[in-house]
Amino acid sequence: MKQYDIVIIGGGPAGLAAAVAAYDAGVTGILILERDKELGGILNQCIHNGFGLHTFKEELTGPEYAQRFADKVRERDIEYKLNTMVLEISRDKVVTAVNREDGLVDIQAKAVILTMGCRERSRGALNIPGFRPAGVYSAGTAQQLVNIEGYLPGREVVILGSGDIGLIMARRMTLEGAKVKAVAELMPYSGGLKRNIVQCLDDFGIPLLLSHTVVDIHGKERVTGVTIAEVDDNLKPIPGTEEFYSCDTLLLSCGLLPENELSRAMGVEINRATNGPVVNESLETSIPGVFAAGNVLHVHDLVDYVSEEAGAAGRAAAEYVRSGGQESGGQEISVNVEGGPRYTVPCTIHPHKVGETLTLRFRVGSVMKDRFVSVYLDDERVTHRKRQVMAPGEMEEVKLTRAMFDKHPDLRHITLRVEEA
Amino acid sequence: MYDVIIVGGGVIGCAVARYLSRYQARVCVIEREEDVCAGTSKANSGLIHAGFDAPHGSLMAQYNVEGSKMMPELAKELDIPFRRNGALVLCLNEEDKPRLEALYENGVKNGVEGLELIGPDRIHELEPNITDDVVAALYAPTAGVVCPFIMTIALAENANANGVEFKRNTEVKAIFPRAEGGWAVQTANGVLDAKCLVNAAGVYSDVFHNMVSSKKIHITPRRGDYCLLDHAAADLVERTVFQVPGKLGKGVLITPTVHGNIIVGPTAVSIEDREGVNTTAAGLSELLSKAGTTVKQLPTNQIITSFAGLRAHEDGHEFMIGEVEDAPGFFNCAGIESPGLSSAPAIGKAVAELLRDKLELEERSDFIPTRKGILDPKTLSREERNALIKEQPAYGQIICRCENVTEGEIIDAIRRPLGARSLDGVKRRVRAGMGRCQSGFCSPRVIEILARELGVDQSEITKSGGKSKYIVGTTKNRY
């Protein structure tokens, strides 16, 4: 059986950044397994710009951003396999994968980093009633068709959901000559970034219908239209508000789901709020030596944060390998959330293992204005920062430092609190 | 001139074709859609009922019990995924107990083996997730689940291997008696003649019957909405779980599929539109609330798709099988609603035998009774699988991530006789696109493979034939 120090499941932005960071931390026996035909993951189909402002201080397209990291991987001679599907990971870190050249193989890893990304919520998962004709696509599938394959999925488009991919595709389809008639959003606020609302909808005169949803899909062979209705405070369609939109295409951008089938099957504990693994400060899951980062851990809004997080996971995995697979040990404290955040990543912390800085990432459950984001170590408020607006569509973060923890040798409680003044 | 033309390539038409193919005869199946199994046969519960439900003495009871008994051997011969998982009919209050007992009595009279009335303790021993409200249940260990797509396709493939012709994408417009005897079938692609006709046209079977007979029949399409749950919900129930039946069918059931998903459904709504396979918000919410009373907790967050099917309900609620009195040589398989799938093998055999007698057909000496399914590499040992990949690397390339379907399987599905021509055709044969992402990731790849194998441009590939084009053109700068 082939043996590696670290096997990384997925060669998207998270996997690549984790590999580079682990390598730079001194562990070189690394293998990246990627199911697609090239490295870079979903970035390859994100040909719009806006990537890399934090990481590279310049504005890149998705493929350019991916290329930067793919180059780093190649410069370091980190091994990777493309067109390779991981079928199973055992608790003792035997990775079973399959591809055309090697067939079905087992690979023994000392540490595993889960970076499988996420998938889109499908029409079925949304349970939208109606016919099942051709012409209903997830926004990401349409993006792949247009940007990778060069095919146009439709000419008259309605988009359900205002997630970022849907907003980007509203603009993209418009530029390709399609007519985007409306973007309907179930919630009273957008699920995407503010800048995308402005640049992808407002600039093209595409209406955003907040508190609206698709209640029926028409057309037996190909979509001929959809019925959109307004929803009430309980998100239920209001009778009498139905309006028919003629279209040949319905794109869905209604949220992303971390792809944790492999994680679940190997017994990794999953956080119900994120649908990603429960991780500690080292981004280590409930199975020692198995780490997670990027959209498989929790859905991010900016790839820069994915890279940053995955770098931390890579360094932690390297440390795990170097220490000979020592378990964390010591006291582990759960991070409590109060006043609005739905979760934090990480959700538990071993205070003695906190490095120079520790980033707590979270999302709020509803739009909140003029609040303070505070972290309490026991009763001491160690950070207190004003946020004018926080929305569920945007990820928030707060940085903690080693020094803060050093002042609390007997720490018992860590609390992230969103509070008014 | 054909000996027999079968109108309709659903499970019934294909079963008749398969059992008829053991005789020396020129047989043709005509199907309106681009694939077999595209109507009622593709959207149902996928059950082989034990046969306790249909009234004793009815054709429904007779063919169901017989079909269920035929299934294990047929599944073996034709490589059809089939499993006897057993069924429970739950009684949730004391008042319904007499109806449950009546069902038991009826089943015993129908000749269903192994029926038992059991109490809450035994029920929970068998199915721990069943509601605590349950007071009693009928247990039918011979009930089973089958893949309705593969069952129909396997029957068709085997019939085809034994010489039965299939004309897909061919809609029958009219049927009329020929002056010189026999029947003429007018299709969109010309007229075909046959000595005998089999009407297996599902929700359209009354239309064809009424073209040739003065004794009119009337079919009501009865729509049933379903939800399909991900493999992650597979632990919910091991057996098919009904509640004591009401007037409109067997009520909402929960069952595992033979592929390890869970199906919840169906509703029962009589409609006018014979193409009305749209789900409705009311239907989906009704079935989830009803199924919610069967189990302690229904994992609705695991729903991966919903769909609706139409049952061909005849006013008399009975199968209409056999030669039509005032139309000699015209054989009905009409009014085939539940338990139609379960009865299909028995109906196929019975109608084939009627035709044999009518046309005085001889047995073929070279009849091939078996059919090999599409090879699923997951069923092989590691060594066998690696040998296969070495020989045919396409079996090492996963295309559908959710169901782990390889390119090799998809190629087989397309290349075999009566192969897939559309995304749905591939999906029903090998499950690519059937999983939790509902083809989001794999559909562009499957289209690429279909186009390559069929030698057409990708823009020609459809979801399910006709105008169901998947892409409408190219981007501005594609070259």
Side-chain angles (χ1 to χ4, degrees), chain A residues 209-228:
Chain A
L209 309 172
L210 296 175
S211 296
H212 281 72
T213 193
V214 171
V215 294
D216 205 355
I217 297 174
H218 308 270
K220 288 169 185 176
E221 297 184 306
R222 174 85 198 190
V223 173
T224 56
V226 297
T227 303
I228 293 179

Side-chain angles (χ1 to χ4, degrees), chain A residues 117-135:
Chain A
C118 57
R119 65 169 178 270
E120 298 174 278
R121 208 180 289 274
S122 72
R123 179 210 171 154
L126 297 162
N127 230 359
I128 306 171
F131 284 94
R132 299 197 300 151

Side-chain angles (χ1 to χ4, degrees), chain B residues 200-444:
Chain B
V203 289
Y204 288 90
S205 52
D206 58 341
V207 174
F208 294 123
H209 169 97
N210 294 342
M211 284 177 187
V212 303
S213 173
S214 59
K215 200 176 159 220
K216 305 299 178 195
I217 63 171
H218 178 247
I219 302 273
T220 306
R222 193 172 269 175
R223 187 176 60 214
D225 290 10
Y226 288 90
C227 288
L228 182 73
L229 276 57
D230 187 26
H231 298 300
D235 290 342
L236 186 62
V237 288
E238 193 185 318
R239 290 161 194 81
T240 303
V241 185
F242 304 87
Q243 291 188 21
V244 175
K247 281 199 186 75
L248 286 175
K250 301 180 182 68
V252 171
L253 60 92
I254 302 177
T255 185
T257 71
V258 81
H259 296 291
N261 295 90
I262 294 282
I263 276 194
V264 181
T267 52
V269 182
S270 296
I271 60 170
E272 294 294 318
D273 182 2
R274 292 170 206 264
E275 305 292 319
V277 290
N278 52 316
T279 57
T280 62
L284 295 175
S285 113
E286 178 197 329
L287 79 86
L288 293 178
S289 82
K290 282 188 176 165
T293 63
T294 294
V295 288
K296 286 172 184 151
Q297 201 186 4
L298 190 66
T300 50
N301 59 335
Q302 297 291 348
I303 294 173
I304 58 175
T305 191
S306 53
F307 59 91
L310 300 179
R311 316 168 182 81
H313 172 72
E314 211 282 326
D315 290 354
H317 185 56
E318 171 64 312
F319 294 157
M320 310 183 83
I321 308 287
E323 194 166 7
V324 175
E325 228 178 63
D326 59 349
F330 186 100
F331 290 76
N332 262 339
C333 298
I336 311 294
E337 57 181 315
S338 179
L341 186 68
S342 319
S343 305
I347 293 174
K349 184 161 176 280
V351 173
E353 285 168 2
L354 292 175
L355 288 158
R356 173 197 64 193
D357 297 346
K358 176 90 180 175
L359 294 167
E360 296 177 353
L361 302 174
E362 300 286 322
E363 293 240 6
R364 296 169 58 132
S365 57
D366 57 351
F367 175 68
I368 309 161
T370 57
R371 165 258 183 197
K372 201 78 206 103
I374 294 170
L375 175 63
D376 177 355
K378 290 190 281 295
T379 61
L380 301 177
S381 72
R382 170 84 56 120
E383 291 69 29
E384 291 167 332
R385 195 164 171 181
N386 278 332
L388 176 68
I389 294 170
K390 201 159 187 188
E391 198 184 312
Q392 296 179 64
Y395 283 99
Q397 181 68 56
I398 302 280
I399 300 293
C400 167
R401 305 165 172 188
C402 301
E403 297 287 322
N404 282 336
V405 181
T406 65
E407 184 173 2
E409 292 157 81
I410 295 172
I411 291 173
D412 187 358
I414 299 167
R415 285 189 190 166
R416 57 175 47 219
L418 295 180
R421 297 171 187 177
S422 64
L423 282 168
D424 281 358
V426 169
K427 180 169 87 173
R428 290 186 204 123
R429 283 168 178 81
V430 296
R431 300 181 58 72
M434 194 78 92
R436 56 185 76 87
C437 93
Q438 286 289 297
S439 85
F441 285 119
C442 71
S443 49

Side-chain angles (χ1 to χ4, degrees), chain A residues 44-118:
Chain A
N44 289 321
Q45 67 185 54
C46 301
I47 63 171
H48 52 285
N49 56 3
F51 298 89
L53 288 168
H54 297 257
T55 312
F56 298 110
K57 309 292 174 223
E58 58 179 308
E59 197 167 30
L60 304 173
T61 65
E64 285 170 336
Y65 187 97
Q67 190 64 43
R68 297 277 173 108
F69 275 94
D71 287 346
K72 288 170 192 266
V73 163
R74 293 192 186 103
E75 282 160 16
R76 287 163 179 76
D77 256 333
I78 295 172
E79 208 180 318
Y80 60 88
K81 285 182 183 294
L82 303 176
N83 292 310
T84 302
M85 183 78 188
V86 174
L87 301 176
E88 196 182 352
I89 310 168
S90 72
R91 273 191 90 91
D92 48 4
K93 306 186 190 72
V94 175
V95 178
T96 306
V98 66
N99 65 24
R100 303 172 81 99
E101 292 77 31
D102 307 322
L104 203 65
V105 289
D106 286 337
I107 300 157
Q108 176 71 61
K110 289 179 187 158
V112 170
I113 308 179
L114 304 172
T115 51
M116 291 88 79
C118 57

Side-chain angles (χ1 to χ4, degrees), chain A residues 167 193-205:
Chain A
L167 300 176
L193 295 171
K194 180 73 189 157
R195 72 173 194 212
N196 283 334
I197 304 277
V198 174
Q199 294 170 10
C200 300
L201 299 188
D202 297 353
D203 288 359
F204 294 89

